[in-house]
Amino acid sequence: MGPLSPARTLRLWGPRSLGVALGVFMTIGFALQLLGGPFQRRLPGPQLRQPLAPSLRPALPSCPPRQRLVFLKTHKSGSSSVLSLLHRYGDRHGLRFALPARYQFGYPRLFQASRVKGYRPQTGGTQLPFHILCHHMRFNLKEVLQVMPSDSFFFSIVRDPAALARSAFSYYKSTSSAFRKSPSLAAFLANPRAFYRPGARGDHYARNLLWFDFGLPFPPEKRAKRGNLHPPRDPDPRQLQVLPSGAGPRAQTLNPNALIHPVSTVADHRSQISSPASFDLGSSSFIQWGLTWLDSVFDLVMVAEYFDESLVLLADALCWGLDDVVGFMHNAQAGRKQDLSTFSNTGLTAEDQQLTARARAWNNLDWALYVHFNRSLWARIEKYGQRRLQTAVAELRARREALAKHCLAGGEASDPKYITDRRFRPFQFGSAKVLGYILRSGLSPQDQEECERLATPELQYKDKLDAKQFPPTVSLPLKTSRPLSP
């Protein structure tokens, strides 16, 4: 997230004592450090009967867990899986969610505090505080701060726009007029202006969707020169290192020409920094303004391609236990493997390489945003320690695998046609099937409760939290409203 001043660093993290026992063969002594901290802290809550993996427990009480959270749930970026862990954590700890009346906060319109259920600042009474704001919205900081305190932990997640475009085209083909008119993603990207009309219904899904979700302004549309978009030049492997998910550290590639460095002056934390009106909206200064502003607001931006690494860093930043961020993938489409290294052209056909380049060029603001936060994630990994991270990621995956074997029939996700329990059947939208989970029979009541939390899709979990926070005053059958498209 760019350079941090000492004062801001201390405010975000604070000095922490770190003492972690790894197995029975190795002990790490106490150490003080500015960044990092004991992500391994385990909090009270239902535990499965069978140990999932060797538990990592602090030798001394560690920092208090952070429980005031704002998560910007971006589209088609693995955000449903993050939402799942927030649902579970808040549910277990009795935290209050800032919930929408239905399933979204008026998206695609900018977030408004008035859309939060139970938010009544003008009544004169004591307003119960909210702990977590995490459902779909288009980010609007001024209104968010009407609901959540300014010292909340702000975080989000981004994804390579080439992978995001593939997923969005499949998922939103019936919603976006641009996608609906195009026979294929390849045809769309070959000549996007033949299909795309700025402001047309649903067409925010078709270009720079991340930039849109972050609530940033857009430069004016310009007529493209005749011919195809100019794709980014081949990346220079000397420019940036990233840590591929599931692999050791190695040099990977991102386009250096798209790497936008923030301006040197960092604004005060979460202030409304200078207006973009002073910039040429088509210039790199405008993009720098947007990225610098995001750096001043968000404490962490996760990267979908390094999901597990991002989860470890999130747990560390929040002083949560590793078990608090272990979970299953949600809203995953059937027949699609996780496209975890799409910024590398290794192993792609010439046609796929061309599609990837065109997708990044068409979504140029998203590409600049993605490169920026990919780089900041790597800087954070360096401070955290690569070996320490690899150990934690291996632990996280071992626990996830153990949970899947313990909770799920077949130990994996299931085709929705086999999920007969409506509590666990994910909302089906788009052309691809959305996978869900079937619980294994014979679980103890305690394990059943925890496994249900892990398997419940986002829409059903939102309804569960709503009923918990706003119990019906009369004994009438609950009427389920029709879900909006995610």
Side-chain angles (χ1 to χ4, degrees):
M1 289 175 25
L4 298 175
S5 66
R8 171 157 164 71
T9 304
L10 286 171
R11 189 194 68 75
L12 288 178
W13 299 93
R16 299 173 183 171
S17 59
L18 177 63
V20 179
L22 295 178
V24 294
F25 298 105
M26 179 169 54
T27 300
I28 299 179
F30 302 116
L32 292 176
Q33 58 181 30
L34 188 61
L35 293 176
F39 63 87
Q40 299 89 349
R41 184 171 185 265
R42 299 185 59 168
L43 300 171
Q47 302 294 324
L48 297 182
R49 288 176 303 171
Q50 302 175 0
L52 303 181
S55 179
L56 301 179
R57 298 179 180 273
L60 289 177
S62 62
C63 52
R66 299 193 65 169
Q67 296 184 336
R68 302 281 186 177
L69 312 173
V70 175
F71 174 59
L72 176 61
K73 186 180 187 296
T74 54
H75 287 79
K76 312 313 298 174
S77 299
S79 59
S80 293
S81 302
V82 180
L83 188 67
S84 175
L85 71 89
L86 293 174
H87 281 163
R88 297 194 322 268
Y89 183 90
D91 191 17
R92 282 199 305 264
H93 293 272
L95 305 183
R96 291 189 79 243
F97 287 80
L99 297 171
R102 296 184 72 184
Y103 296 98
Q104 298 179 355
F105 289 111
Y107 188 89
R109 293 180 293 275
L110 288 166
F111 173 82
Q112 296 292 321
S114 59
R115 292 187 174 273
V116 175
K117 191 172 182 179
Y119 175 70
R120 299 180 183 90
Q122 305 301 329
T123 59
T126 302
Q127 174 76 37
L128 290 175
F130 295 110
H131 297 92
I132 301 176
L133 173 63
C134 60
H135 293 87
H136 266 314
M137 63 174 162
R138 188 178 182 207
F139 191 68
N140 183 357
L141 178 62
K142 181 180 177 181
E143 289 291 311
V144 167
L145 292 177
Q146 298 297 314
V147 179
M148 301 296 296
S150 61
D151 63 350
S152 299
F153 186 89
F154 283 64
F155 69 111
S156 188
I157 185 169
V158 298
R159 186 182 187 185
D160 185 332
L164 193 153
R166 291 180 174 93
S167 181
F169 186 86
S170 171
Y171 201 78
Y172 296 116
K173 187 168 177 58
S174 64
T175 304
S176 166
S177 62
F179 286 162
R180 187 168 56 250
K181 291 182 289 187
S182 177
S184 66
L185 179 61
F188 174 79
L189 291 174
N191 188 15
R193 295 188 185 278
F195 308 99
Y196 175 82
R197 295 293 180 270
R201 184 176 178 84
D203 276 9
H204 63 281
Y205 292 118
R207 188 177 195 192
N208 291 314
L209 181 55
L210 291 173
W211 194 271
F212 182 88
D213 284 353
F214 275 98
L216 295 168
F218 282 81
E221 284 291 322
K222 297 180 180 179
R223 285 280 176 189
K225 293 182 180 180
R226 191 180 182 119
N228 294 334
L229 293 166
H230 294 290
R233 282 194 277 169
D234 290 337
D236 184 345
R238 298 169 297 177
Q239 293 296 318
L240 185 66
Q241 284 186 309
V242 293
L243 183 62
S245 187
R250 69 183 183 200
Q252 279 286 3
T253 57
L254 287 171
N255 179 13
N257 300 307
L259 199 60
I260 308 298
H261 296 280
V263 294
S264 57
T265 302
V266 178
D268 290 339
H269 183 58
R270 283 183 200 120
S271 62
Q272 297 284 355
I273 67 175
S274 59
S275 167
S278 59
F279 300 122
D280 173 3
L281 291 181
S283 71
S284 61
S285 296
F286 167 74
I287 299 177
Q288 290 173 8
W289 169 86
L291 298 176
T292 302
W293 185 79
L294 292 179
D295 280 343
S296 76
V297 173
F298 285 88
D299 298 285
L300 172 68
V301 175
M302 304 167 65
V303 175
E305 281 71 21
Y306 314 110
F307 190 74
D308 290 343
E309 292 83 356
S310 294
L311 287 179
V312 170
L313 295 177
L314 176 66
D316 179 66
L318 297 179
C319 201
W320 284 12
L322 199 60
D323 286 337
D324 293 322
V325 297
V326 174
F328 303 148
M329 297 300 293
H330 283 268
N331 210 31
Q333 298 180 26
R336 289 182 180 271
K337 294 185 178 180
Q338 294 299 318
D339 206 357
L340 294 182
S341 292
T342 54
F343 52 78
S344 171
N345 287 334
T346 304
L348 296 180
T349 65
E351 183 180 359
D352 285 338
Q353 289 181 32
Q354 184 182 56
L355 188 146
T356 294
R358 285 176 171 174
R360 291 170 179 166
W362 174 243
N363 297 283
N364 60 320
L365 299 177
D366 278 7
W367 179 235
L369 190 151
Y370 176 79
V371 170
H372 176 76
F373 286 119
N374 196 316
R375 189 182 194 191
S376 70
L377 185 80
W378 177 256
R380 201 161 185 144
I381 288 171
E382 288 290 328
K383 293 177 181 178
Y384 186 89
Q386 291 184 28
R387 289 189 179 181
R388 180 184 172 207
L389 184 78
Q390 290 170 356
T391 299
V393 167
E395 175 85 8
L396 181 78
R397 290 173 177 164
R399 294 187 185 197
R400 181 186 295 134
E401 183 178 357
L403 276 170
K405 290 180 179 178
H406 186 81
C407 291
L408 304 178
E412 61 183 4
S414 300
D415 188 301
K417 68 181 179 182
Y418 299 118
I419 304 174
T420 57
D421 191 332
R422 295 182 64 183
R423 296 176 301 163
F424 307 121
R425 193 174 193 275
F427 179 55
Q428 299 300 305
F429 190 81
S431 59
K433 294 178 182 178
V434 179
L435 299 176
Y437 298 101
I438 302 172
L439 296 188
R440 195 168 60 84
S441 59
L443 296 170
S444 72
Q446 188 180 27
D447 289 2
Q448 180 78 21
E449 179 182 13
E450 188 63 18
C451 291
E452 284 182 1
R453 287 195 179 108
L454 287 158
T456 301
E458 62 181 278
L459 299 186
Q460 288 93 319
Y461 218 134
K462 183 268 172 187
D463 286 340
K464 174 184 175 182
L465 295 170
D466 196 302
K468 184 178 180 180
Q469 287 185 201
F470 304 98
T473 55
V474 292
S475 299
L476 293 176
L478 292 176
K479 184 177 180 180
T480 303
S481 58
R482 182 183 178 187
L484 297 174
S485 62

